Amino acid sequence: MASALSERLSRLVKTMRGQARITEANVQDMLREVRMALLEADVALPVVRDFIARVKERALGTEVVGSLSPGQALVGIVQKELAATMGEGVADINLATQPPAIILMAGLQGAGKTTTTAKLAKHLIEKRKKKVLTVSADVYRPAAIEQLRTVTKQAGAEWFPSTGDQKPRDIALAALDYAKKHFFDVLLVDTAGRLAIDEALMAEISDLHATLDPIETLFVVDAMQGQDAINTAKAFKEALPLTGIVLTKLDGDSRGGAALSVRQITGAPIKFAGVSEKIDGLEVFDADRHAGRVLG
Ligand code: GDP
């Protein structure tokens, strides 16, 4: 990244040396650099605007103390605000319910839902010692059902069969019934995706949500979608009470801006990051570390 935020800011810190206070005048240059860097990191424009407004408000109210220059103080404020927006700390999957804990996977086709379903199954088996069942409610693409079967096997979880002539709701209820009878701790429900948002898909997944009342509704989104991620995020947030985000394909995205956008638009915590195509390519999302990455 040629002009990372930290680089831009450290250049400014130098030019601001000798100035004792953060003022309306000198904060402007700084904020311009922050704005440019965030846009280059592919953060969506409305999200950048909000962010800048918050940093400015904080900065103007800040007394610069000790040996810090106003530039250095501002860098600190930007870093803190980035980490706070990204969601401080680490948010794991919530399983605190009568088993089976149901996890509904939502997102566009190609976002990485099926892959992530299997990765999550593996994570829950290995890290949380859970007995996990997966099922696909994607009745439009028989290949997607087969794909889930294959990756579920790799994950060491059990797969519940479904077919293209069933209704998604019936599939989900049959899987839930099976999960209860066989004492599964977790039921992961993979859903159909479309290449773009459409009403029928949203109505279908809302209905699945109402039927299953899942403890987690995870929005799976491709980090490489950049600016477009916010429109997808808005549509899914309106249709479903999202409890978390999985940001996939972070390995292919050097900018990291989608995290900030999606987090801000949905208000839901980013719980996991997909970092490879492989079954073990899932990491618990670390907001502080990611904030550092966006800073560059
Ligand atoms: P779905 O249509 O949402 O179910 O998406 P898939 O799970 O089929 O994934 C679409 C493509 O993205 C596949 O080729 C996956 O291997 C790939 N993919 C998913 N997650 C990641 C990730 O975190 N990193 C990389 N590099 N590829 C991923």
Side-chain angles (χ1 to χ4, degrees), residues 32-277:
R32 196 173 311 122
E33 294 295 319
V34 176
R35 182 188 155 92
M36 292 297 293
L38 291 177
L39 288 173
E40 275 171 23
D42 227 0
V43 180
L45 188 57
V47 175
V48 173
R49 281 204 198 105
D50 276 9
F51 184 83
I52 297 287
R54 286 201 304 278
V55 169
K56 184 173 176 184
E57 198 181 295
R58 276 206 186 188
L60 290 176
T62 300
E63 284 277 332
V64 179
V65 288
S67 57
L68 276 188
S69 72
Q72 288 164 329
L74 252 169
V75 170
I77 292 166
V78 169
Q79 277 166 342
K80 270 205 196 125
E81 195 58 43
L82 255 183
T85 308
M86 217 80 91
E88 273 158 288
V90 162
D92 204 352
I93 286 286
N94 180 10
L95 299 175
T97 183
Q98 180 87 4
I102 302 171
I103 303 177
L104 187 66
M105 310 295 287
L108 291 185
Q109 186 175 320
K113 270 187 314 299
T114 304
T115 311
T116 303
T117 303
K119 286 174 172 177
L120 196 52
K122 189 172 162 73
H123 171 88
L124 293 170
I125 291 167
E126 288 179 359
K127 300 278 168 16
R128 309 275 294 263
K129 309 288 173 225
K130 299 300 178 192
K131 184 177 171 184
V132 181
L133 183 68
T134 73
V135 67
S136 173
D138 188 347
V139 293
Y140 312 100
R141 292 187 308 146
I145 298 178
E146 258 320 292
Q147 186 194 347
L148 183 67
R149 176 188 194 153
T150 306
V151 286
T152 297
K153 200 169 170 195
Q154 287 170 13
E158 192 173 326
W159 170 82
F160 187 81
S162 51
T163 54
D165 55 5
Q166 289 175 284
K167 290 201 175 73
R169 173 205 284 248
D170 294 340
I171 292 172
L173 288 176
L176 178 57
D177 186 51
Y178 181 87
K180 280 182 181 160
K181 285 194 178 125
H182 294 83
F183 305 104
F184 280 87
D185 301 306
V186 182
L187 171 62
L188 287 168
V189 183
D190 192 10
T191 61
R194 300 283 195 284
L195 293 171
I197 308 290
D198 78 55
E199 273 178 38
L201 164 75
M202 288 305 175
E204 182 184 292
I205 198 159
S206 295
D207 178 59
L208 265 179
H209 186 277
T211 305
L212 290 170
D213 192 20
I215 184 151
E216 289 272 13
T217 302
L218 300 179
F219 172 50
V220 181
V221 59
D222 178 347
M224 309 235 281
Q225 252 206 323
Q227 299 274 340
D228 288 341
I230 91 162
N231 296 327
T232 318
K234 262 189 200 144
F236 277 92
K237 179 197 154 59
E238 275 161 24
L240 293 168
L242 302 174
T243 58
I245 298 161
V246 182
L247 202 60
T248 61
K249 308 184 196 181
L250 218 54
D251 49 313
D253 175 42
S254 59
R255 300 163 300 182
L260 197 65
S261 304
V262 171
R263 157 86 191 151
Q264 171 100 15
I265 296 295
T266 63
I270 303 173
K271 298 201 165 180
F272 291 94
V275 294
S276 92
E277 287 189 80

Side-chain angles (χ1 to χ4, degrees), residues 9-10 12-22 26 30 62-77:
L9 295 183
S10 58
L12 264 182
V13 167
K14 285 190 197 115
T15 66
M16 286 171 79
R17 207 164 269 161
Q19 301 178 34
R21 306 176 50 183
I22 296 177
N26 65 18
M30 199 78 177
T62 300
E63 284 277 332
V64 179
V65 288
S67 57
L68 276 188
S69 72
Q72 288 164 329
L74 252 169
V75 170
I77 292 166

